[in-house]
Amino acid sequence: MSIETTSDQSAGLTVDELAAATGMTVRTVRYYAGLGLIPPPERRGRQAFYSDVHAARLKLVRALQDHGLSLTSIEDYLARFPADGDADELAVRALALTTWSAQPPERMSRAGLDRRAGRPLDAASLDVLLALGVVEQDGDEFELQPGFDAAVKLLTLDISVDGIVAAGLAVRRHTEALAEELTEVFARQVIGPYRAQEHHTPEEAEAFRSTIVQLRQLTLEAVVSGFQRASNQVINRSLRGE
């Protein structure tokens, strides 16, 4: 994801170029415009032109949708920002909200869930997946979350369901607490100082984008290695106790 800067706020994008820049279809862009999620374009005769602000707002809309917000909630959220606000500010917010998953959650029917799992899932197995948080149900549809494939493989092992659920809930409880703390550090130590600067050059914006991408990867690696280190320490303590 690239960060748009405030170096050129002038309207110079056609609707086709705006759609391409944001990864949306022209129809979707026009629909969101009709909802008032982006300000009206600049008219030059019969041609409409859009600026970096329009692109930044649309990228923010997509980031908010990835977090499950409805269009009504997104409209309320965007109402806090001036229609002609700072594109860089909007882009930073979108970047901070971008999910850590490489792909957005998959949504599917009950039959699709069985196909995705590679085998029919009975009610008990589905209850376990729901309890672990790797599947979320919305009416007749199901949304897959990170960890689904690993959880399905766990169900095939000779381990009690209670053990699987207990372990899954322990992981979920501690990772949610870790995510909250790291998010606070991220906001205070990384996003905050960047937003405190009034203006950014394109080079500074690109460097910031690169920093965020690398920081996320390094954080994931640190969590895995930290768990491995802690597990080894627990094993060593156990051995010394024996």
Side-chain angles (χ1 to χ4, degrees):
M1 175 182 176
S2 63
I3 292 183
E4 310 294 345
T5 71
T6 56
S7 58
D8 183 9
Q9 301 279 357
S10 61
L13 299 172
T14 65
V15 67
D16 295 281
E17 291 170 336
L18 178 63
T22 56
M24 298 181 179
T25 65
V26 171
R27 180 178 181 180
T28 299
V29 170
R30 286 175 171 157
Y31 176 63
Y32 289 165
L35 293 177
L37 299 182
I38 59 175
E42 179 181 319
R43 293 283 179 179
R44 301 172 193 166
R46 299 179 62 182
Q47 185 70 47
F49 289 95
Y50 301 83
S51 70
D52 287 346
V53 172
H54 294 92
R57 286 178 74 95
L58 287 176
K59 289 180 180 180
L60 183 54
V61 168
R62 186 170 57 189
L64 293 167
Q65 285 179 314
D66 286 343
H67 283 279
L69 269 70
S70 67
L71 288 177
T72 299
S73 298
I74 292 174
E75 185 177 2
D76 293 338
Y77 182 86
L78 290 176
R80 308 173 193 173
F81 307 101
D84 58 348
D86 192 309
D88 187 47
E89 167 71 9
L90 294 169
V92 169
R93 287 182 177 273
L95 182 60
L97 289 170
T98 301
T99 61
W100 288 45
S101 302
Q103 300 293 333
E106 300 177 62
R107 292 183 68 89
M108 58 193 64
S109 64
R110 182 66 175 80
L113 189 64
D114 288 343
R115 289 193 296 270
R116 183 68 171 75
R119 64 182 179 84
L121 295 169
D122 57 28
S125 295
L126 180 56
D127 286 343
V128 172
L129 296 176
L130 289 168
L132 294 176
V134 296
V135 174
E136 294 182 0
Q137 187 169 1
D138 182 12
D140 294 331
E141 287 193 316
F142 298 87
E143 187 173 271
L144 273 58
Q145 301 297 327
F148 173 80
D149 293 333
V152 170
K153 291 178 182 177
L154 271 177
L155 293 174
T156 66
L157 301 180
D158 188 18
I159 303 175
S160 71
V161 170
D162 289 343
I164 293 175
V165 172
L169 292 179
V171 169
R172 186 173 182 178
R173 181 172 65 255
H174 291 288
T175 52
E176 285 180 353
L178 177 61
E180 288 182 3
E181 186 171 348
L182 289 178
T183 298
E184 175 61 27
V185 172
F186 175 77
R188 186 175 62 252
Q189 302 293 341
V190 181
I191 295 291
Y194 181 83
R195 290 174 57 191
Q197 301 177 38
E198 188 173 353
H199 298 292
H200 304 93
T201 66
E203 292 76 17
E204 290 173 336
E206 177 58 27
F208 181 73
R209 183 204 67 81
S210 178
T211 296
I212 297 304
V213 172
Q214 294 182 62
L215 179 60
R216 287 186 168 184
Q217 182 59 42
L218 291 172
T219 299
L220 291 175
E221 294 176 6
V223 169
V224 173
S225 61
F227 177 78
Q228 293 171 333
R229 183 170 59 253
S231 296
N232 288 336
Q233 291 172 349
V234 170
I235 292 172
N236 289 335
R237 287 197 300 269
S238 175
L239 291 174
R240 287 195 297 270
E242 291 177 351

